[in-house]
């Protein structure tokens, strides 16, 4: 079931086409990664999905509600974690949550319950009564997320939530994000400059460049757009160089190299080709100690598709 639907979404600023006729669906309960170099149009697209920026053309539906015609209903689905910290520095963390919870129409015991819940989940118990201006960058980021999820939104949009923070806070945010998805079934839309985060978190991805979606699908589908090859590393005992010619005759084996104890292969149709390789090694009397498969990394795929690194 699609919880977000984008049809022919277009946006211009003066003569610059920032978002170019984008069509995309996001399914309920998935963690969806939106990737692209700076200036690709990601932030503009997110702002239109949230109803903060008016599109020039197209239809955006959130939970089957049109973001223009049924804005209040559509926005009830969304919790936004913006890239910029949206907190009152001279108030305590507790007072910030109290304020933002009231904005979501939480009152009394329910407000207190949700505040206690997000304070615990964000790991902020010790300093929650202190002013936000005394917090580290990572603590501010965690409080920013806590404020956005108090009303248990069905969709959480997280725009660069780990920029400029310490590794401990970053790991906490990644774990918190996965728990929101697993325990509450929350749909996550996640933008990041850290490709390893997308690789770790996201079930489906869209890669934007110059206002267009240039790749869309599962991580595996996107990787196959660039290459149908995988690397296999087989740790062996008893391998002899003369076996190389025999292995190269196997269909799907594109490259073979050996540096004891590691046999490296480049394979097409990797599972079938690997089975034949292993069968032949066993026939040769080679002992197989370990097998590792390495698909292309998302970083390599991104560079191949855009000609840029993600942090450009």
């Amino acid at each position: 079931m699609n919880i977000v639907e984008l049809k022919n979404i277009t946006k211009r600023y003066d003569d610059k086409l920032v978002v170019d006729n984008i069509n995309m669906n996001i399914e309920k309960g998935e963690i969806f990664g939106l990737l692209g170099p700076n200036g690709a149009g990601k932030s503009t697209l997110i702002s239109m999905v949230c109803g903060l920026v008016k599109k020039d053309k197209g239809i955006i539906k959130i939970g089957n509600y049109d973001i223009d015609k049924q804005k209040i209903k559509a926005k009830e689905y969304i919790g936004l974690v913006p890239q910029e910290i949206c907190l009152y520095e001279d108030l305590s963390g507790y007072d910030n949550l109290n304020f933002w919870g009231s904005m979501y129409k939480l009152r009394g015991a329910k407000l207190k319950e949700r505040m206690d819940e997000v304070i615990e989940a964000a790991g902020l118990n010790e300093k929650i009564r202190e002013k936000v201006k005394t917090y580290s960058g990572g603590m501010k980021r965690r409080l920013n997320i806590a404020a956005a999820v108090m009303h248990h939104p069905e969709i959480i949009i997280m725009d660069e939530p780990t920029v400029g923070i310490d590794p401990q806070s970053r790991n906490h945010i990644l774990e918190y994000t996965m728990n929101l998805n697993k325990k509450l079934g929350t749909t996550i839309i996640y933008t990041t400059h850290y490709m390893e985060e997308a690789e770790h978190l996201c079930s489906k991805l869209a890669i934007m460049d110059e206002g267009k979606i240039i790749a869309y699908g599962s991580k595996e589908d996107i990787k196959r757009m660039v290459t149908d090859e995988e690397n296999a590393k087989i740790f062996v005992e008893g391998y002899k160089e003369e076996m190389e010619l025999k292995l190269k005759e196997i269909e799907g084996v594109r490259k073979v190299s050996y540096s004891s104890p590691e046999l490296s292969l480049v394979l097409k149709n990797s599972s079938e080709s690997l089975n034949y390789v292993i069968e032949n090694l066993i026939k040769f009397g080679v002992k197989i100690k370990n097998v590792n498969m390495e698909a292309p990394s998302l970083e390599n795929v991104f560079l191949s598709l855009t000609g840029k690194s993600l942090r450009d």
Side-chain angles (χ1 to χ4, degrees):
M1 173 187 168
N2 294 328
I3 196 166
V4 178
E5 298 179 25
L6 308 181
K7 296 180 182 178
N8 308 119
I9 305 304
T10 301
K11 179 66 181 177
R12 287 181 181 273
Y13 286 116
D14 299 323
D15 293 332
K16 184 173 176 58
L17 185 59
V18 180
V19 175
D20 186 3
N21 198 44
I22 283 181
N23 292 276
M24 190 168 71
N25 295 324
I26 298 172
E27 292 182 15
K28 183 177 174 62
E30 71 182 1
I31 302 181
F32 186 92
L34 183 61
L35 308 178
N38 288 333
K42 305 186 304 296
S43 293
T44 301
L45 184 62
I46 283 174
S47 295
M48 289 189 288
V49 169
C50 294
L52 301 174
V53 170
K54 191 169 179 60
K55 55 190 167 44
D56 295 338
K57 175 188 170 186
I59 297 171
I60 297 174
K61 287 189 175 182
I62 311 293
N64 215 31
Y65 292 107
D66 189 297
I67 195 65
D68 291 326
K69 297 176 182 176
Q70 300 155 299
K71 185 171 287 188
I72 300 300
K73 285 286 188 184
K75 284 187 173 184
E76 286 176 356
Y77 277 75
I78 297 171
L80 175 63
V81 182
Q83 189 170 342
E84 298 299 323
I85 300 292
C86 293
L87 300 169
Y88 293 99
E89 295 267 331
D90 287 323
L91 295 180
S92 69
Y94 189 91
D95 288 339
N96 267 275
L97 292 177
N98 200 352
F99 171 78
W100 288 113
S102 67
M103 291 295 99
Y104 294 126
K105 300 180 181 179
L106 296 172
R107 301 285 186 270
K110 179 60 72 175
L111 174 59
K112 177 68 165 56
E113 176 189 320
R114 294 290 176 82
M115 287 175 65
D116 290 344
E117 174 189 303
V118 298
I119 290 167
E120 178 67 29
L124 293 169
N125 300 76
E126 289 184 11
K127 293 195 70 172
I128 198 63
R129 297 285 183 174
E130 297 182 27
K131 289 184 178 181
V132 168
K133 63 185 178 184
T134 68
Y135 286 15
S136 68
M139 291 179 69
K140 289 178 182 178
R141 288 276 173 194
R142 283 184 272 153
L143 184 62
N144 213 37
I145 295 171
V149 303
M150 289 179 65
H151 61 306
H152 286 183
E154 294 199 40
I155 303 166
I156 297 173
I157 299 175
M158 308 179 81
D159 191 9
E160 303 282 358
T162 63
V163 167
I165 63 172
D166 59 278
Q168 184 179 0
S169 287
R170 186 180 178 208
N171 290 337
H172 192 113
I173 287 171
L174 296 179
E175 185 178 340
Y176 188 24
T177 301
M178 288 189 291
N179 283 339
L180 285 168
N181 176 254
K182 289 178 181 177
K183 292 181 179 179
L184 299 179
T186 311
T187 304
I188 312 285
I189 302 174
Y190 195 94
T191 80
T192 181
H193 269 175
Y194 300 105
M195 192 63 80
E196 63 273 20
E197 290 184 1
E199 187 96 50
H200 181 59
L201 285 176
C202 301
S203 50
K204 193 180 288 184
L205 298 166
I207 297 176
M208 283 188 76
D209 194 29
E210 297 181 354
K212 296 182 179 181
I213 298 291
I214 60 172
Y216 171 69
S218 70
K219 287 178 285 191
E220 292 72 23
D221 289 341
I222 289 175
K223 288 174 181 179
R224 280 194 289 267
M225 290 176 63
V226 176
T227 180
D228 59 356
E229 295 178 350
E230 286 191 86
N231 297 321
K233 294 187 183 299
I234 307 175
F235 294 86
V236 295
E237 186 179 299
Y239 181 82
K240 295 181 175 57
E241 296 286 350
E242 55 263 30
M243 298 175 188
E244 183 174 320
L245 286 176
K246 186 67 176 177
L247 293 179
K248 284 183 175 178
E249 291 175 359
I250 298 172
E251 186 176 351
V253 175
R254 293 184 169 176
K255 188 176 179 181
V256 179
S257 61
Y258 177 68
S259 178
S260 180
E262 184 180 291
L263 177 64
S264 298
L265 304 103
V266 178
L267 305 175
K268 180 182 178 181
N269 301 324
S270 57
S271 58
E272 186 175 345
S273 301
L274 182 62
N275 286 339
Y276 286 127
V277 167
I278 289 173
E279 284 178 12
N280 276 273
L281 290 174
I282 292 171
K283 285 179 184 176
F284 295 145
V286 175
K287 292 182 180 179
I288 297 170
K289 295 185 174 181
N290 195 17
V291 179
N292 291 325
M293 297 298 297
E294 296 179 357
S297 71
L298 276 179
E299 189 76 53
N300 292 337
V301 170
F302 188 90
L303 185 61
S304 175
L305 290 171
T306 68
K308 308 161 190 171
S309 86
L310 187 58
R311 294 180 181 86
D312 282 351

